[in-house]
Amino acid sequence: MNLQGLLRVCVFLMTGLVAVASAALIAYQIPDAARRERLIPVNVTQLSAEHGAFPVELRCEGARSSAPNRLDGFSCLVINNTGKKISALAVIYSVVVETGGRQERESNLLTSDFAIHPDVSEAKRQKLFSPGESHRVGPPGWIAFESGVVSGVEAHIDYVEFSDKTSTGSDTHGSKTINSWREGAARYKAWLARQYRRGELDEQAVAAALEASDIPKELNFDGNSDLGAGARVYRDIMRGVYTSLGAAELRRYLNK
């Protein structure tokens, strides 16, 4: 199994959590009796220091492994040591797997977006990541590989977006994913509001659309999973608004 270059995207929001699974992983149950948990240190590469400190720091706990080919999980704290608010960030972690004396890596993107859409921020009372605060990130669940031994975990901050639109980090994948999620959320909201205003969807039909598992084909996402993920975030939050606060509150968002 060639894991080089394979990227799984796991996007974490203050509003929820979505994981995009990789076909290279096999999910299967391992009996508790067979598990012998070990701790694997997470090798962290920090951003370049500024004025004697890392501007945005990453501190990770040891990764847990209950079987040779399995990573049960770990968590990291992202610490904002700057004087600016953070609107989004992305962390890349790589799982090192040894097979037949050869090391391979599978890389994964963990994205936290505190400003995916104004409606989402308002509905969830979501705030930006302020100076001096910390934010926890980590994989959404365990993963197991077909063969080989998990021998290491590496992590680094790929991208940080500040509220003043400046940024830091190598940005190999972070900003592209974040921007696609935001675009997907905006396009879904525009579609939903347009249908409602035209009268093509009454309140009950809008509620049914929010319950649908599929994104409308007329949005023309062309299989772009990041656009679809952003649309689902907006849909899920508005479904929560409708369920908990009623049709009048949903109308307020659709008329904005």
Side-chain angles (χ1 to χ4, degrees):
M1 177 179 62
N2 182 9
L3 304 180
Q4 290 284 1
L6 179 62
L7 182 70
R8 295 175 60 244
V9 180
C10 304
V11 183
F12 289 79
L13 301 169
M14 298 292 284
T15 58
L17 175 117
V18 178
V20 181
S22 164
L25 303 180
I26 293 183
Y28 59 88
Q29 296 294 330
I30 300 176
D32 289 339
R35 297 182 181 178
R36 297 178 181 176
E37 188 170 270
R38 59 193 170 111
L39 282 179
I40 303 172
V42 177
N43 184 15
V44 174
T45 300
Q46 302 286 0
L47 295 172
S48 297
E50 297 178 5
H51 310 295
F54 304 121
V56 183
E57 187 176 356
L58 188 63
R59 297 180 185 176
C60 298
E61 301 171 352
R64 304 178 307 280
S65 174
S66 59
N69 65 330
R70 171 170 167 142
L71 181 70
D72 290 275
F74 66 96
S75 67
C76 300
L77 278 181
V78 182
I79 304 169
N80 183 1
N81 293 324
T82 74
K84 298 186 288 187
K85 293 182 178 181
I86 293 173
S87 51
L89 63 91
V91 173
I92 289 180
Y93 77 92
S94 300
V95 183
V96 183
V97 180
E98 292 188 4
T99 306
R102 184 179 63 180
Q103 284 190 344
E104 297 177 321
R105 284 170 172 78
E106 182 190 282
S107 294
N108 307 263
L109 185 69
L110 305 174
T111 304
S112 298
D113 190 351
F114 308 96
I116 186 171
H117 192 281
D119 292 353
V120 172
S121 297
E122 180 182 337
K124 300 300 295 183
R125 299 181 181 179
Q126 180 173 279
K127 297 180 180 180
L128 299 185
F129 182 8
S130 297
E133 291 184 346
S134 60
H135 173 66
R136 190 170 293 277
V137 300
W142 60 266
I143 55 177
F145 299 88
E146 292 180 1
S147 60
V149 176
V150 176
S151 61
V153 179
E154 302 164 351
H156 69 274
I157 294 175
D158 179 62
Y159 177 72
V160 179
E161 176 191 88
F162 297 101
S163 58
D164 63 0
K165 303 305 179 183
T166 60
S167 63
T168 189
S170 56
D171 191 18
T172 56
H173 298 283
S175 66
K176 180 180 178 181
T177 299
I178 290 164
N179 290 332
S180 292
W181 277 61
R182 291 174 178 176
E183 180 183 349
R187 286 169 63 177
Y188 183 85
K189 191 265 174 80
W191 171 84
L192 191 65
R194 187 166 56 248
Q195 306 307 309
Y196 181 70
R197 289 168 184 167
R198 288 176 179 173
E200 296 177 14
L201 291 177
D202 58 20
E203 286 177 2
Q204 289 185 340
V206 169
L210 294 174
E211 292 291 341
S213 58
D214 295 329
I215 298 301
K217 293 181 180 179
E218 54 263 43
L219 285 173
N220 298 317
F221 286 166
D222 296 325
N224 186 314
S225 61
D226 291 331
L227 290 174
R232 289 183 180 89
V233 169
Y234 188 90
R235 180 200 63 193
D236 293 348
I237 295 304
M238 289 301 108
R239 183 170 59 211
V241 167
Y242 179 80
T243 300
S244 61
L245 300 176
E249 186 67 2
L250 176 61
R251 280 199 306 273
R252 186 178 71 82
Y253 282 104
L254 294 181
N255 287 323
K256 288 175 67 175

